[in-house]
Amino acid sequence: MTITPRGSLYGTIAVPGDKSITHRALILNALAEGVCTLRRYCRGEDCLNTMRALQALGVRIDETKDELQIHGKGLWGLAESAGVIDCGNSGTGIRLLTGLLAGQDFFSVLTGDASIRRRPMGRVVKPLREMGATIAGRKGGELAPLAVSGTTLHAIAYASPGASAQVKSSLLLAALFAKGTTQLTEPQLSRDHTERMFAFFGLPLVRKGLTLTIEGRPSVGWGAAPQLTVPGDFSAAAFFIVGATILPGSDVTITGVGINPTRTGLLDVLDRMGGDIELLNRREEAGEPVADIHVRSAPLHGVTIGADLIPQTIDEFPILCVAAAVAEGQTVITGADELRVKESDRIATMSTELRAMGARVSETADGMAIQGLGQPGENGGLQPANGRSHEDHRVAMSLAIGGLTAPAESVVHDTECIETSFPNFHACLLQLTGAVSEPQKGHVKP
Ligand code: S3P
């Protein structure tokens, strides 16, 4: 992707539907009774792979560009897939589906691309085995491919060592098929989309502080949501929230974005850095809070980000590093070792790529320190990139935004990975930089 800096960002866009919520809406409607029309779903490859997995498990899903029709099979209606289930690049896909499939009465094999086959699966395999699951995999089940021999599960009480929504959601899905009452506790609240969607469907999930309790094998199923509209993805909006903040003279509105507080740590961090962001027209969609996000550029200063802010900011660190690189002063991130096991080792990949753009970054085991270069303009901003995505969609998009702060054109290589979450990223970027011809101006559809 070639990035041509054109000064500020200006205009109104909509981003794709939320990736996390789309995975969950696909799975829970597949287990429901009746037909759901899913609107504004995320058409990124990650979610399409979960859709294909469910189709391989016998669920009829009709696809158009704008909506999906999911024909629910009921709680016990899934059937064995004749082939291997390929989750592509999606950690959420493989971990949630492993939980879903552990308690079925058939055999499944799950795998993914090279990045997925390097990422830790023991975090779901271990507690699922405690529930009685029979799962084999490379390195004793630590790495995919995973072979799941579906069996009768029993409830457990499990204290998760990390705040992970993928682990929590995998276990909640398994718990639906387990005998007895499962109890899960996490050390900090991770994104709560699964809990909200369980509540939306009337499933008897109880939260007390950081502990969730769910009765397995509900005697009555749940009806599909006749129509469900997925909120816009905050993690997609994040690239333009930061872009509009750091490019002087910018004024951008992103409509219909999910603002679930377990996701919006970036807003708190930018607020502390001096950002100018307002949330307008607040409303609710599918049990999730939604707003239009209005961003005006503002000079930023460095801050300290500790472990308490990690779960709600976890996917935004690559773009936050770009903000820190053009702030005044130092930003220090600690307690973020989870970044090392994402689609790439994001501490290493962002440090390498930003350094190549002139940023002053030092890596630590669980974070980084970034000495800001100051606002783009005469003396600040990054240098043009000749960067690589490391096959990580969020690194690719972060470097593209970083490139806009440089005095000349940048190139980011291997940007096909952007397809995993944000297929129309480039179109949105062109829209806001004013590089689209007049008739297309005004609104980019998700
Ligand atoms: C996700 C949870 C987070 C996040 C990922 C999506 C989800 O991962 O980083 O992009 O949809 O549950 P962890 O659960 O590993 O923190």
Side-chain angles (χ1 to χ4, degrees):
M1 187 184 289
T2 303
I3 311 298
T4 312
R6 288 173 189 268
S8 55
L9 297 183
Y10 185 82
T12 300
I13 54 163
V15 290
D18 187 276
K19 180 157 77 77
S20 290
I21 297 174
T22 301
H23 283 293
R24 288 151 171 87
L26 279 161
I27 293 171
L28 285 177
N29 279 296
L31 300 177
E33 278 147 28
V35 181
C36 167
T37 299
L38 188 64
R39 300 223 160 106
R40 200 193 190 184
Y41 68 101
C42 176
R43 284 183 57 77
E45 271 301 309
D46 279 11
C47 296
L48 295 182
N49 278 321
T50 291
M51 178 191 79
R52 290 175 199 127
L54 292 166
Q55 287 170 326
L57 293 162
V59 183
R60 178 174 158 202
I61 303 177
D62 302 326
E63 186 186 356
T64 68
K65 189 171 181 305
D66 294 321
E67 53 187 47
L68 293 178
Q69 288 220 314
I70 307 163
H71 298 251
K73 298 282 282 185
L75 185 61
W76 295 100
L78 299 181
E80 184 167 284
S81 163
V84 170
I85 293 171
D86 185 354
C87 300
N89 191 242
S90 178
T92 306
I94 193 165
R95 295 189 179 116
L96 268 57
L97 290 173
T98 301
L100 172 71
L101 294 172
Q104 307 296 327
D105 59 0
F106 54 78
F107 175 73
S108 310
V109 181
L110 299 111
T111 192
D113 66 9
S115 154
I116 275 295
R117 283 180 273 117
R118 283 192 298 269
R119 292 179 67 187
M121 295 299 142
R123 53 182 64 192
V124 292
V125 168
K126 181 179 162 282
L128 288 170
R129 282 179 179 159
E130 280 183 36
M131 296 175 82
T134 308
I135 303 174
R138 290 188 301 132
K139 289 226 157 69
E142 185 53 41
L143 298 176
L146 300 175
V148 182
S149 302
T151 187
T152 303
L153 302 180
H154 53 81
I156 55 168
Y158 186 68
S160 184
S164 163
Q166 293 178 358
V167 172
K168 174 171 64 178
S169 306
S170 178
L171 298 184
L172 285 174
L173 289 169
L176 279 178
F177 296 90
K179 286 184 175 166
T181 305
T182 298
Q183 212 183 61
L184 301 175
T185 305
E186 52 182 347
Q188 274 172 282
L189 184 61
S190 61
R191 63 187 65 189
D192 65 355
H193 302 304
T194 304
E195 296 95 299
R196 284 174 187 261
M197 204 167 281
F198 272 36
F200 184 76
F201 282 110
L203 287 165
L205 175 70
V206 178
R207 168 179 292 287
K208 252 197 189 153
L210 292 171
T211 299
L212 298 169
T213 308
I214 179 123
E215 187 76 46
R217 305 189 163 205
S219 51
V220 268
W222 60 93
Q227 287 186 359
L228 203 153
T229 302
V230 179
D233 197 330
F234 181 83
S235 296
F239 300 103
F240 301 109
I241 294 173
V242 169
T245 298
I246 63 179
L247 291 163
S250 296
D251 191 324
V252 167
T253 301
I254 311 157
T255 56
V257 184
I259 51 158
N260 180 321
T262 61
R263 291 286 297 280
T264 53
L266 175 74
L267 297 182
D268 304 325
V269 175
L270 286 177
D271 186 49
R272 280 169 48 211
M273 294 177 86
D276 182 358
I277 299 167
E278 358 168 47
L279 301 180
L280 308 171
N281 195 14
R282 288 173 187 253
R283 54 212 187 262
E284 192 161 299
E285 271 167 22
E288 294 275 350
V290 171
D292 302 333
I293 302 183
H294 179 216
V295 189
R296 277 180 289 228
S297 61
L300 299 181
H301 51 82
V303 289
T304 301
I305 303 163
D308 57 321
L309 264 170
I310 305 302
Q312 60 274 42
T313 318
I314 189 72
D315 290 343
E316 280 58 76
F317 278 100
I319 191 62
L320 198 46
C321 289
V322 173
V326 296
E328 288 294 338
Q330 197 183 45
T331 293
V332 179
I333 301 165
T334 56
D337 38 336
E338 266 297 304
L339 293 177
R340 293 209 180 268
V341 290
K342 291 296 178 190
E343 286 83 329
S344 69
D345 173 345
R346 288 181 174 158
I347 294 177
T349 51
M350 286 308 294
S351 298
T352 304
E353 296 302 328
L354 285 178
R355 265 189 222 119
M357 296 174 81
R360 286 167 286 176
V361 185
S362 54
E363 254 187 68
T364 60
D366 69 345
M368 52 222 284
I370 302 169
Q371 189 63 45
L373 298 164
Q375 241 192 338
E378 270 173 36
N379 299 314
L382 291 159
Q383 291 306 307
N386 184 18
R388 287 199 306 122
S389 71
H390 303 261
E391 275 81 44
D392 182 332
H393 55 136
R394 300 200 200 283
V395 171
M397 291 184 275
S398 299
L399 297 181
I401 298 294
L404 292 174
T405 72
E409 199 168 272
S410 287
V411 179
V412 184
H413 299 277
D414 306 327
T415 52
E416 308 73 30
C417 53
I418 292 173
E419 287 290 318
T420 60
S421 65
F422 198 165
N424 61 334
F425 171 76
H426 200 204
C428 285
L429 192 57
L430 291 177
Q431 167 104 12
L432 294 178
T433 51
V436 225
S437 56
E438 272 314 311
Q440 289 161 301
K441 262 191 167 173
H443 194 73
V444 170
K445 281 194 173 164

